[in-house]
Amino acid sequence: MSEHTPNSYMNQPDERGHFGQFGGRYVAETLMPLILDLEAEYRKAKADPEFKAEFDDLLEHYVGRPSPLYFAPRITEELGGAQVWFKRDELNHTGAHKINNCIGQILLAMRMGKTRIIAETGAGQHGVATATVCARFGLPCTIFMGATDVKRQQPNVFRMKLLGAQVVPVTSGRATLKDAMNEALRDWVANVHDTFYIIGTAAGPHPYPELVRDFQSVIGREARAQMLSRTGRLPDLLVAAIGGGSNAIGLFHPFLDDPEVKMLGVEAAGHGLDGDEHAASLAGGFPGVLHGNKTYLLQDEDGQITEGHSISAGLDYPGIGPEHAWLKESGRVDYTYATDDEALDAFQLLCRTEGIIPALEPSHAIAAIVKVAPTMPKDAIICANLCGRGDKDIFTVAEALGVEM
Amino acid sequence: MSTRFETTFAKGPALVCFITAGDGDTAANLDALVAGGADVIELGMPFTDPMADGPAIQAANIRALNKGTKTADVLKLATEFRARHPQVPLVLMGYANPMIRRGPEWFAEEASKAGVDGVISVDLAPEEDQDLGPALRDKGISLIRLATPTTDDKRIPAVLKGSSGFLYYVSVAGITGKQQAAMASIEDNVQRIKSHTDLPVAVGFGVRTPEQAAEIAKVADGVVVGSAFIDLVEKHGPDAPQHLKALVEGLAKAVHSARKA
Ligand SMILES: Cc1ncc(COP(=O)(O)O)c(C=O)c1O
């Protein structure tokens, strides 16, 4: 592990949950005492070897960690530049990185004596992961999902129901992820006494961005150790897709104090940044306050939140975790974007060259690699987070490619 | 010189009325509320993501935004209200993002020019006071904070610090428009809060009828009603003013009956 020097990029947030000017705790008063309790309990859990042992044990035997670090020879050859390596978090139980965080949060919920779990979901991946850990620990679970997404993501809705979750379609607003999060917050305000909210990305009021990052950092810690043992050195570039930013911060964080490692976060540019049909909050948004934190948001000149668009339901969110907002302003991490079409091409490229069907979210990361790998020397190393598998997306991809199933 | 809040609450329990700006004929509806006996007006600033509100106020926000209501329109409604009703305290209530979008100083300046007395920012916790509090206090605008059943004695001082005008006690842990809390719990909590402050304490969430309002007015300095008005605005559209006036008259009579003769 790197040294945490006073100038470290790793000692954020401050004690008030601020990452520079971002983050914080912007919630209704009803939730404030609970958020403060959660923070106190998290501090205790973080220092408790038993908590860590239980978390590690579940990740190993239930989730299937460590996930492999895989050198991808044929895509490397096809792109003709840097070596492309993938951190295979799509091989996790439930098919994405989301479960790492859910394991950590449900252990916290039980420590706090909470007996009911709620969560929001967009594509349904976080909903499935939450329903999974709730089944594993026998806690009742309610998942809020925009009615539009319920229609688009029927297989995941059925999975959640099989796992015993109640899925509540949310019809307010445009009935997508943002509205699902509003509804989860409304439920939480009314049920604070017994309910724990498992937030699915590294956003929300402090301490969520910090604790989600910590739980997801297993990705970067493993990748760092695996890369060192396989190649004897650190990668030159890390690449990850960004919705709220949890898989990206999980990969990046353990490398932040390694100055030789560059990092690239990839937002979803939908139909392009010229219009409103994208979900790139850093590239096309402004700082503001939503869902408990201050961060970059897609919004109009009056501060009304605008709806994002991405072919990937998991990236279709008008905000981004506050630590990314800060890492962008500090210059430590670079951020770029990929359009729907570029992601679709990258999706097919990985299928064809490596025999791996990626989720549409990491397909955005692969799209960025397609651009950057050829500009780098052949002995350079790119490590990308393959944070989800594509089974959930085949219907969406078929439709986009004009294929009838 | 005493503030409009001080003058109003000095008379005894006050009726505080909330409607959403841009939903229906807001100016006419505001006039009806005042004509019916409203003591304090809370004008809701519409927001795309009203996380602490129930279905009625959510829908009012969306109706207002779909009609194209902008921040400038809300400020204009406030300015014109102030010109028509020089004595009635006016509060802007909403969520933090539209208030800080152009910077807190801009918002405080505009609210001040519009004659606004107080601001409630639902998701601006006291912990994040820096984003709005200093700018408002600088302009002499009260930052009105919320206390809830989960706000324990340890936390009340933090909530009170930097707040003025009155304190809004949200009587249920939940969203707007749902059922009312038990009277016993309201009385206990108001007593508890009042042991920490001389600010008036107004109680809201779930209050719809004159009977409820009369009970609360016996133990608190103000009664806040919102969703019941919003329902009338939705149901009656352009005819809402007469219905609002009728409801307010009943509520005001109930609240004012607790005033000492
Ligand atoms: C596979 C996958 N990757 C990425 C994301 C985006 O979330 P985050 O940016 O928090 O990793 C999701 C969200 O649903 C997802 O399912």
Side-chain angles (χ1 to χ4, degrees), chain B residues 7-190:
Chain B
T7 312
T8 300
F9 283 103
K11 293 183 207 156
L15 177 63
V16 182
C17 298
F18 172 93
I19 57 171
T20 299
D23 181 29
D25 183 347
T26 306
N29 292 341
L30 288 172
D31 288 349
L33 293 175
V34 174
D39 299 300
V40 178
I41 294 292
E42 286 180 7
L43 185 59
M45 294 180 64
F47 183 45
T48 40
D49 294 82
M51 276 137 331
D53 285 298
I57 296 181
Q58 281 175 47
N61 277 266
I62 299 305
R63 284 194 298 272
L65 292 172
N66 286 348
K67 268 176 51 190
T69 307
K70 311 291 286 177
T71 299
D73 300 316
V74 179
L75 292 166
K76 185 158 173 276
L77 281 165
T79 307
E80 292 169 0
F81 176 88
R82 176 53 67 232
R84 294 195 306 279
H85 306 284
Q87 310 304 338
V88 182
L90 178 63
V91 176
L92 290 180
M93 177 164 187
Y95 292 81
N97 201 50
M99 296 178 179
I100 63 174
R101 178 68 175 91
R102 295 176 176 87
E105 290 76 19
W106 181 88
F107 181 70
E109 170 74 28
E110 293 300 311
S112 166
K113 280 197 300 204
V116 166
D117 303 282
V119 167
I120 301 175
S121 182
V122 177
D123 53 347
L124 190 87
E127 280 76 359
E128 307 294 347
D129 183 71
Q130 76 280 343
D131 279 13
L132 201 53
L136 290 177
R137 288 187 288 271
D138 212 45
K139 291 283 169 198
I141 297 176
S142 295
L143 179 62
I144 295 156
R145 292 239 181 79
L146 309 176
T148 70
T150 60
T151 311
D152 57 20
D153 280 321
K154 209 166 75 219
R155 221 183 127 63
I156 288 177
V159 170
L160 287 167
K161 185 160 180 272
S163 75
S164 61
F166 62 96
L167 190 79
Y168 185 159
Y169 176 64
V170 171
S171 64
V172 283
I175 53 180
T176 51
K178 297 283 157 149
Q179 77 284 24
Q180 195 204 338
M183 262 320 291
S185 127
I186 293 178
E187 182 165 6
D188 287 353
N189 277 298
V190 171

Side-chain angles (χ1 to χ4, degrees), chain A residues 25-26 29 178 182 186 289, chain B residues 49-50 97 128 131 155:
Chain A
R25 291 174 282 218
Y26 297 83
E29 174 60 21
K178 167 175 84 77
N182 290 334
R186 289 181 189 118
V289 168
Chain B
D49 294 82
N97 201 50
E128 307 294 347
D131 279 13
R155 221 183 127 63

Side-chain angles (χ1 to χ4, degrees), chain A residues 134-213:
Chain A
C134 287
R136 169 65 184 75
F137 289 99
L139 292 184
C141 158
T142 302
I143 306 289
F144 295 92
M145 188 170 186
T148 311
D149 291 334
V150 169
K151 274 197 220 105
R152 290 198 284 204
Q153 308 283 339
Q154 275 299 324
N156 271 344
V157 173
F158 185 55
R159 275 186 194 105
M160 288 184 265
K161 289 183 179 164
L162 282 174
L163 292 161
Q166 185 199 357
V167 180
V168 178
V170 176
T171 53
S172 58
R174 297 244 182 114
T176 58
L177 178 56
K178 167 175 84 77
D179 310 294
M181 193 144 181
N182 290 334
E183 207 58 34
L185 285 165
R186 289 181 189 118
D187 179 293
W188 201 24
V189 169
N191 297 289
V192 272
H193 55 287
D194 68 351
T195 297
F196 190 98
Y197 181 11
I198 299 190
I199 294 184
T201 191
H206 178 64
Y208 280 100
E210 176 186 344
L211 66 86
V212 174
R213 173 198 74 199

